[in-house]
């Protein structure tokens, strides 16, 4: 118990990368999610039909259409999983799957019906160890520049959902028709493994103001070349449950 207390205290101090390398890690401890076919069909339809830029905000690398579809799919799948895992999901709006025209953004990720709690949902794969925020899209207070809120928000939270899925295979399958992809995914992923971590706006603000920043073209963990400047928060420093923050 004493060791756990010490670890909990240590996590309160935001840690940085060491020469671009993540030295503090959290093991993936899978939770199982059994998706409803109707939900997956909606997310797949969204991913095949939403129109977005072929470059990331602040980036220059051109993404192929399959890569764009995958990114949208992973993001919305994470929102769906988190929504269904909320202890009080009936108090929240369902995830937004409206097909906005290019250049327009949804107003939020997960928003409580009274407009007072907003959860920004970020996603990664099971081995990822940090929440990344594209620097160009966030202000110094940790707010997402493209979300238009009503001003009623009292709690601004962040969630990071890690998924145990095969990014390469799924991206490749997005070259198939929407119908073929849907049949394949529903058969391949009857159960989806994930875990999740949470942060409040204070942690995000501290990370931004203390220059927790990976620059464009910098190598992350010696393997991944960054396409844009990104603020980061290590999973090590995040909370394990939403109830710790609400």
């Amino acid at each position: 118990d004493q060791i756990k207390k010490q670890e909990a205290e240590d996590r309160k101090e935001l840690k940085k990368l060491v020469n671009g390398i993540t030295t503090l890690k959290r093991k993936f401890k899978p939770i199982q999610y059994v998706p409803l076919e109707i939900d997956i069909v909606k997310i797949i339809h969204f991913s095949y039909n939403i129109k977005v830029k072929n470059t990331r905000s602040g980036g220059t690398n051109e993404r192929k259409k399959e890569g764009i579809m995958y990114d949208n799919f992973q993001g919305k799948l994470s929102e769906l999983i988190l929504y269904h895992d909320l202890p009080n999901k009936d108090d929240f709006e369902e995830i937004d799957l409206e097909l906005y025209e290019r250049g327009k953004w949804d107003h939020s990720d997960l928003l409580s019906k009274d407009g007072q709690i907003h959860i920004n949902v970020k996603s990664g794969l099971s081995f990822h160890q940090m929440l990344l925020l594209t620097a160009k899209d966030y202000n110094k207070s940790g707010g997402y520049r493209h979300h238009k809120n009503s001003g009623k928000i009292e709690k601004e939270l962040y969630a990071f959902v890690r998924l145990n899925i095969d990014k390469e295979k799924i991206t490749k399958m997005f070259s198939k028709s929407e119908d073929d992809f849907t049949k394949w995914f529903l058969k391949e992923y009857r159960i989806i493994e994930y875990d999740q971590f949470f942060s409040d706006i204070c942690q995000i603000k501290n990370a931004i103001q203390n220059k927790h920043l990976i620059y464009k073209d910098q190598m992350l963990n010696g393997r991944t070349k960054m396409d844009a400047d990104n603020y980061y928060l290590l999973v090590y420093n995040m909370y394990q449950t939403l109830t710790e923050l609400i």
Side-chain angles (χ1 to χ4, degrees), residues 94-109:
E94 293 188 8
I95 67 171
D96 188 352
L97 292 171
E98 185 174 339
L99 295 170
Y100 296 96
E101 60 187 76
R102 186 176 298 173
K104 289 192 176 182
W105 280 265
D106 51 6
H107 65 282
S108 60
D109 288 343

Side-chain angles (χ1 to χ4, degrees), residues 103-158:
K104 289 192 176 182
W105 280 265
D106 51 6
H107 65 282
S108 60
D109 288 343
L110 289 181
L111 185 68
S112 61
K113 290 177 179 177
D114 62 11
Q116 294 183 0
I117 301 173
H118 177 225
I119 307 174
N120 298 275
V121 184
K122 302 299 173 186
S123 61
L125 299 178
S126 59
F127 56 89
H128 288 160
Q129 295 294 331
M130 64 180 69
L131 179 154
L132 293 173
L133 303 174
T134 309
K136 189 178 178 182
D137 289 337
Y138 289 82
N139 59 39
K140 299 299 180 185
S141 297
Y144 185 58
R145 297 182 190 276
H146 306 298
H147 280 165
K148 308 297 183 189
N149 63 65
S150 63
K152 294 197 301 182
I153 293 174
E154 294 182 3
K155 279 190 180 291
E156 186 87 31
L157 306 174
Y158 284 77

